[in-house]
């Protein structure tokens, strides 16, 4: 076995009543599964192999010293296992695209850009600082290349936060718009100076594109923008787009206002019937009446909200009959409620409702519906009015980035230096000099091979004159590296043969 769990004379609940003591893997396995659940709760980014390793590393050695055939590495210790993966969490990720050699400075991630990601970590522990924090970043999202995949943080005090040190992390986007870049950050740190080594994995995402304000619909109903009025067969009081007539009851309460909600000179709104005689003469009866917006395309929206003015009068309610509903649909057949009111609200009332993420796509429609289902003409009085409807939001847009045209850079030359920090191997080089025929390098490609003269393949990308093999290459390994400089004008011309 790899590890073991409590499985001898273990107390468990009997089916339907009481408790008993049993032995075997049926008792041990739930203990191990429970420890794993606690670990994942403390650090949701853990992978299977990491969980297994932590369980082994933190187990209580039983039987013969070391791994043995009876207990494996030892008995699972839930507290130590959770403690070893708990501590740092991702608090914030800031996108920086202000370097005009690599990006367009619009605050988002666009095709062709190399953007910087500053990652802020929070120490959830209240008793010890997180020290010597180092991390490597990777992404499995197609078309995404890490230009800097290794970073460091200042020490983080208990319950404190710190942002990664410059140059932070960098990613390059090859194509596409409005999709998440899935990222995985593997961290190591110490519990205080000289404390235990902690490892953790954190997953987060950033979205390609930038949100810009966008108005899908702005309609004060003074002109026809394509709304459709309809009613159930036999229903009366259908919506009409007119200047409303004032109607009052015997106590001078206004049932239907004499003006729309739009600032003068606006006059028109949608009103359920518009007779100006006795209350209930032209109100809703015998079913549903509706108005439906024109079709809108809410594709690539990050968020959107619906604003409108409504008036709903109801008296003599006979539930469950009298409703005012605001709904949305993407196909014109299945409708979901945004607002449902059943009580009297006889005043022009502003309403603001966020649209759910499932509404954000092609085919979006908004519908207002008033219902009085009682099957007699003389019952409750129900009147509804709608005006000044707007759908606003933030649409994700992307701009392609083309690096500035310059003369290609000089080669880097024989200037490589290597240093080691823990398991991380770092290569540094001198940026090639600019001269009359060569501009400064803005990007470096790192090639690696097991031989000095062939077999090179790209191993990394960097916007700074260094590259870190974050735990990927131990000191005992051998390798040959070649650094190729480039900028918007091309490369230094010394790419190795594959």
């Amino acid at each position: 076995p790899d590890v073991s769990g409590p499985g001898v004379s273990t107390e468990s609940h009997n089916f339907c009543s009481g408790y008993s003591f049993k032995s075997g893997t049926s008792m041990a396995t739930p203990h191990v599964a429970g420890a794993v659940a606690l670990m994942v709760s403390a650090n949701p980014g853990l992978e299977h192999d990491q969980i297994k390793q932590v369980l082994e590393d933190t187990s209580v050695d039983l039987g013969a010293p070391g791994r043995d055939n009876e207990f494996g590495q030892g008995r699972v210790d839930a507290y130590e296992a959770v403690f070893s993966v708990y501590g740092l969490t991702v608090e914030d990720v800031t996108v920086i695209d202000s370097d005009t050699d690599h990006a367009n400075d619009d605050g988002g991630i666009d095709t062709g850009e190399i953007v910087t990601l500053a990652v802020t970590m929070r120490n959830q522990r209240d008793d010890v600082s997180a020290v010597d924090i180092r991390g490597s970043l990777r992404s499995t999202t197609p078309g995404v290349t890490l230009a800097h995949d290794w970073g460091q943080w200042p020490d983080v005090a208990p319950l404190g936060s710190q942002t990664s040190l410059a140059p932070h992390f960098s990613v390059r986007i090859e194509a596409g718009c409005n999709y998440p870049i899935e990222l995985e950050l593997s961290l190591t740190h110490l519990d205080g100076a000289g404390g235990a080594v902690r490892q953790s994995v954190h997953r987060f995402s950033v979205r390609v594109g930038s949100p810009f304000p966008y108005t899908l619909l702005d309609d004060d109903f003074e002109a026809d923008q394509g709304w459709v009025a309809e009613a159930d067969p036999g229903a009366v009081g259908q919506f009409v787009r007119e200047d409303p007539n004032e109607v009052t009851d015997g106590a001078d309460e206004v049932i239907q206002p004499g003006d729309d909600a739009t600032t003068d000179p606006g006059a028109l709104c949608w009103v359920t019937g518009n007779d100006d005689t006795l209350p209930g003469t032209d109100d809703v009866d015998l079913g549903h009446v509706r108005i439906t917006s024109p079709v809108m395309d809410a594709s690539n929206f990050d968020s959107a909200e619906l604003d409108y003015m409504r008036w709903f009068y109801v008296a003599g309610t006979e539930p469950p009959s009298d409703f005012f509903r605001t709904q949305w649909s993407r196909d014109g057949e299945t409708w979901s409620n945004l607002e449902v009111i059943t009580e009297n609200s006889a005043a022009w009332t502003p309403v603001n409702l966020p649209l759910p993420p499932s509404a954000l796509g092609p085919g979006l429609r908004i519908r207002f519906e008033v219902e009085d289902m009682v099957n007699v003409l003389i019952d409750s009085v129900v009147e509804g009015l709608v005006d000044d409807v707007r759908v606003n939001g933030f649409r994700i847009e992307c701009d392609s980035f083309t690096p500035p045209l310059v003369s290609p850079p000089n080669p880097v030359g024989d200037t490589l230096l290597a240093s080691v920090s823990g398991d991380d191997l770092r290569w540094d080089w001198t940026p090639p000099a600019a001269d009359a025929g060569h501009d400064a390098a803005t990007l470096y490609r790192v090639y690696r091979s097991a031989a000095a003269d062939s077999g090179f393949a790209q191993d990394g990308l960097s916007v700074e004159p260094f590259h870190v093999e974050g735990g990927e290459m131990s000191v005992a390994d051998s390798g040959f590296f070649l650094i190729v400089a480039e900028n918007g004008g091309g490369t230094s011309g010394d790419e190795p043969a594959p």
Side-chain angles (χ1 to χ4, degrees), residues 112-421:
E113 288 187 326
I114 298 177
V115 299
T116 296
L117 302 179
V119 180
T120 300
M121 303 300 299
R122 178 170 176 79
N123 185 1
Q124 302 287 2
R125 294 184 57 180
D126 61 2
D127 59 339
V128 67
S129 296
V131 175
D132 190 22
I133 308 168
R134 294 174 291 143
S136 60
L137 192 68
R138 73 182 189 95
S139 175
T140 57
T141 302
V144 176
T145 305
L146 276 298
H148 259 312
D149 62 357
W150 186 88
Q152 292 178 289
W153 285 259
D155 295 347
V156 186
L159 301 181
S161 300
Q162 289 283 7
T163 301
S164 52
L165 296 168
H168 309 290
F169 299 97
S170 295
V171 297
R172 182 172 191 169
I173 311 304
E174 301 298 339
C177 183
N178 193 24
Y179 63 91
I181 302 172
E182 302 295 341
L183 296 160
E184 181 180 276
L185 176 61
S186 298
L187 284 184
T188 62
H189 74 275
L190 303 179
D191 286 342
V197 177
R198 305 296 182 187
Q199 296 182 329
S200 56
V201 177
H202 310 266
R203 292 192 179 91
F204 59 92
S205 64
V206 292
R207 184 159 291 276
V208 175
S210 304
F212 291 92
Y214 193 89
T215 298
L216 277 170
L217 179 68
D218 187 354
D219 198 345
D220 60 7
F221 301 131
E222 301 304 314
D224 183 6
Q225 293 195 28
W227 289 72
V228 176
E230 58 182 354
D232 290 346
V236 297
Q238 180 167 320
F239 273 108
V240 292
R241 188 172 65 88
E242 296 179 359
D243 186 358
N245 296 309
E246 182 173 306
V247 178
T248 61
D249 63 10
D252 291 330
E253 180 179 359
V254 178
I255 295 173
Q256 182 175 298
D259 196 7
D260 71 341
T262 308
T263 303
D264 291 339
L268 304 182
C269 66
W270 284 98
V271 52
T272 53
N274 199 22
D275 194 292
D276 60 356
T277 56
L278 296 174
T281 303
D282 199 15
D283 73 324
V284 180
D285 281 304
L286 306 178
H288 303 80
V289 298
R290 310 175 184 91
I291 52 170
T292 303
S293 74
V295 176
M296 296 168 278
D297 186 358
S299 300
N300 294 325
F301 268 70
D302 183 57
S303 62
E305 59 185 24
L306 170 66
D307 296 288
Y308 58 95
M309 300 291 289
R310 63 158 162 76
W311 179 299
F312 181 56
Y313 176 90
V314 59
T317 305
E318 297 189 26
S321 171
D322 304 332
F323 294 92
F324 182 105
R325 297 185 183 91
T326 305
Q327 301 174 314
W328 69 270
S329 175
R330 290 270 303 277
D331 58 11
E333 296 181 3
T334 303
W335 293 87
S336 300
N337 291 328
L338 289 168
E339 181 189 43
V340 179
I341 58 174
T342 60
E343 297 188 1
N344 188 50
S345 180
W348 279 118
T349 303
V351 181
N352 173 267
L353 300 171
L355 294 175
S358 52
L360 304 181
L364 174 64
R365 298 172 176 87
I366 301 296
R367 184 169 80 177
F368 298 98
E369 177 179 80
V370 179
E371 172 194 324
D372 182 357
M373 289 294 294
V374 175
N375 197 27
V376 293
L377 285 174
I378 303 175
D379 63 312
S380 56
V381 177
V382 178
E383 292 280 11
L385 295 89
V386 179
D387 203 3
D388 296 345
V389 179
R390 296 177 180 85
V391 179
N392 299 302
F394 288 89
R395 189 171 68 178
I396 302 296
E397 299 178 7
C398 296
D399 298 315
S400 295
F401 173 75
T402 302
L405 290 178
V406 292
S407 299
N410 274 306
V412 172
D414 300 328
T415 58
L416 289 178
L417 298 173
S419 61
V420 178
S421 174

